[in-house]
Amino acid sequence: MTKTPAPARPGISMEAAQRRRARLSEQMRVGKMTRTLVTPEGAAIRLKLASVTERAGALFIDLAIQWAVMAAMWIGFVYLAASIGFGRMNVAFAFLLVFHFVLRNFYFIFFEIGRKAATPGKRALGLRVASRDGGRLTADAVLARNFMREVEIGLPLQFLFMGGDQVGAWIALLGLVWSSVFMLFPLFNKDQMRVGDLLAGTWVIKAPKAQLMPDIVSTVTSPELGSRFAFTPQQADAYGIHELHVLEDVLRQSSPEIKQQVATRIRTKVGWERGTGETDLAFLEAYYAALRKRLEQRMLLGERKSDKYDVGQ
């Protein structure tokens, strides 16, 4: 007796069910890499963590840039040796070794300690380093996560190319297995963190490019809206550069509830009375424009307000 296939559910085709399963599977995959970051201002921002393959790709791009720079330096070194003679190349060779040391150890630190918090490789793939507590990325955190790279990558490579007799080979093998724990650490934690990230309190997140500035600033371009949101210099001085970046993130990707909470906090902080028909989004966009304009004016006078706690001299 042959079995007849079960009838399909009325109104749902097999193709639609497969698309639904695929969509749910993709949502679960993306959800596993999404984290909620609560800023010091109390704003909850959803961030997407970088995958291991994305981080590895960024690392290979950065290493390729370093190798290209060193190749150019070696070519220059050879031409210099041919012109002045190899007998006078001790000083130049010593300079080349120092340059290689600086490039290898401070390349990542130089770029990640900047405003974009990303090396050229990370920027090419839309990644950046962020603090896990929602605060500012400090120099100590950048130094800690990058100095650990020598243990995570340099140490296994040293054991890999270690030579010697049979005893030395076994020592190299055991050392390679032990040090590989550091190298493979991102594969065994849900946040894809390196050991350096764990010690420094950081993670690498996706930072997609977005054309945000013209949209925000254009909100108060008309004289009517500009007069409606006329903030005093004292009100604009309540926050600094760090809060400007946080407010930009809130305007870009937060929910209406978060925007409402942040708008309430800012109104209380600066003493702003909510007017009739005033929306939270319009208020935040107007205050963003006023804060940015005020910070730019102060920068022209040589005054830099890093955050709300910076009261100057």
Side-chain angles (χ1 to χ4, degrees):
M1 184 175 181
T2 59
K3 296 178 64 177
T4 59
R9 292 178 57 185
I12 300 180
S13 65
M14 184 65 67
E15 182 180 356
Q18 291 176 349
R19 287 200 302 266
R20 182 174 180 272
R21 285 196 296 268
R23 185 171 63 254
L24 291 176
S25 177
E26 178 65 16
Q27 290 176 354
M28 291 179 60
R29 187 189 68 82
V30 173
K32 290 180 180 179
M33 298 297 295
T34 303
R35 302 291 182 271
T36 300
L37 178 67
V38 180
T39 70
E41 295 299 318
I45 302 176
R46 292 178 64 82
L47 302 173
K48 183 179 179 182
L49 300 180
S51 65
V52 174
T53 54
E54 289 172 330
R55 297 186 63 171
L59 177 62
F60 286 138
I61 293 175
D62 289 323
L63 292 178
I65 293 175
Q66 294 185 42
W67 293 337
V69 172
M70 284 307 303
M73 290 294 295
W74 274 106
I75 293 174
F77 177 79
V78 171
Y79 276 105
L80 183 62
S83 60
I84 68 174
F86 288 93
R88 303 178 182 179
M89 290 305 298
N90 292 336
V91 176
F93 185 71
F95 171 78
L96 188 63
L97 292 178
V98 172
F99 179 80
H100 178 262
F101 172 82
V102 172
L103 180 66
R104 176 183 174 185
N105 290 278
F106 293 97
Y107 169 89
F108 295 92
I109 295 174
F110 174 78
F111 287 106
E112 291 181 0
I113 210 169
R115 184 176 63 87
K116 295 185 181 297
T119 60
K122 289 185 176 67
R123 291 177 62 183
L125 298 182
L127 310 178
R128 64 165 294 164
V129 183
S131 177
R132 293 204 307 273
D133 61 4
R136 182 187 308 174
L137 185 64
T138 63
D140 293 340
V142 173
L143 291 173
R145 72 183 307 274
N146 283 289
F147 284 150
M148 277 300 299
R149 186 175 284 105
E150 281 299 312
V151 177
E152 298 168 338
I153 299 178
L155 193 60
L157 291 179
Q158 292 180 13
F159 282 119
L160 180 63
F161 295 106
M162 180 183 293
D165 53 12
Q166 185 175 3
V167 176
W170 277 106
I171 294 176
L173 179 60
L174 293 176
L176 178 62
V177 173
W178 172 76
S179 60
S180 295
V181 175
F182 300 102
M183 177 181 289
L184 301 178
F185 187 78
L187 299 177
F188 301 102
N189 66 91
K190 63 179 182 179
D191 290 338
Q192 314 289 303
M193 291 188 300
R194 292 174 29 227
V195 176
D197 292 316
L198 186 65
L199 296 178
T202 59
W203 51 21
V204 179
I205 62 174
K206 292 283 291 182
K209 297 180 181 179
Q211 298 295 329
L212 179 67
M213 298 295 291
D215 295 335
I216 295 178
V217 177
S218 63
T219 304
V220 291
T221 53
S222 65
E224 181 181 354
L225 290 178
S227 60
R228 182 177 182 179
F229 295 102
F231 298 99
T232 65
Q234 291 75 21
Q235 290 174 324
D237 281 335
Y239 296 102
I241 298 174
H242 173 66
E243 288 76 25
L244 180 72
H245 294 161
V246 172
L247 182 55
E248 181 178 340
D249 291 335
V250 170
L251 288 170
R252 178 189 293 125
Q253 54 186 339
S254 67
S255 63
E257 293 76 13
I258 296 301
K259 290 184 175 66
Q260 180 184 5
Q261 296 174 15
V262 175
T264 302
R265 287 173 178 266
I266 295 178
R267 288 191 183 102
T268 304
K269 175 85 172 173
V270 304
W272 180 267
E273 293 293 335
R274 183 168 186 170
T276 305
E278 176 184 308
T279 65
D280 295 324
L281 178 60
F283 170 77
L284 291 176
E285 290 174 339
Y287 188 78
Y288 175 91
L291 177 59
R292 179 187 171 195
K293 181 179 179 181
R294 180 60 177 169
L295 291 173
E296 290 175 348
Q297 290 174 346
R298 295 188 61 170
M299 289 291 288
L300 292 176
L301 299 176
E303 302 175 2
R304 177 183 175 88
K305 185 177 176 66
S306 58
D307 54 35
K308 63 183 179 182
Y309 303 107
D310 187 359
V311 296
Q313 300 294 333

